[in-house]
Amino acid sequence: MTENMTSTEDQFSPDVSLARNDAEHRYELRVDGKLAVQSFFKDKPGHIDFSHTETTEGFEGQGLGKVLAHFALDDVVATGKRIIPHCPFIAAYLRKHEGYEQFVDWPDS
């Protein structure tokens, strides 16, 4: 006999939203309306300079930062700007994921 069971993973689908908040100079990932991860930036002529990324307590270790990084970096590329990764998290993401190399201006250490 075969049973068709729905896993817990299939039953749980939190409301996740991603946005660029220009007024606060950050990209945001919200889970069920709560700010979970934010990545701060400076909007410069021709560049978006990422300064730091923060994960709200209780949302760590879920991979949400990677989701936000992917969204933010794709958004920068779509706007035709270049990426300056002063943020250690964004820099690490860029080193691990291909496809952004031609859009990055690495800061002087």
Side-chain angles (χ1 to χ4, degrees):
M1 180 172 153
T2 303
E3 289 183 353
N4 184 4
M5 298 185 63
T6 305
S7 71
T8 304
E9 187 176 43
D10 293 334
Q11 294 173 1
F12 179 71
S13 59
D15 178 21
V16 175
S17 63
L18 295 152
R20 177 179 166 153
N21 182 335
D22 288 321
E24 298 290 331
H25 304 284
R26 67 186 184 200
Y27 284 91
E28 303 172 341
L29 183 146
R30 293 179 180 273
V31 176
D32 294 325
K34 297 174 186 167
L35 185 60
V37 185
Q38 52 192 329
S39 189
F40 294 88
F41 65 86
K42 293 177 186 169
D43 195 350
K44 298 182 172 185
H47 290 86
I48 294 294
D49 186 348
F50 289 92
S51 60
H52 66 285
T53 299
E54 298 175 358
T55 301
T56 304
E57 188 175 332
F59 292 101
E60 304 97 334
Q62 299 178 34
L64 297 172
K66 295 176 192 175
V67 173
L68 182 61
H70 181 81
F71 172 78
L73 295 170
D74 282 357
D75 183 67
V76 173
V77 170
T79 64
K81 292 193 173 192
R82 297 185 59 78
I83 300 159
I84 302 175
H86 279 106
C87 169
F89 181 80
I90 295 293
Y93 183 91
L94 288 167
R95 286 185 182 100
K96 291 179 185 175
H97 296 85
E98 295 181 5
Y100 297 104
E101 299 85 4
Q102 67 271 29
F103 305 106
V104 179
D105 289 331
W106 291 98
D108 295 331
S109 297

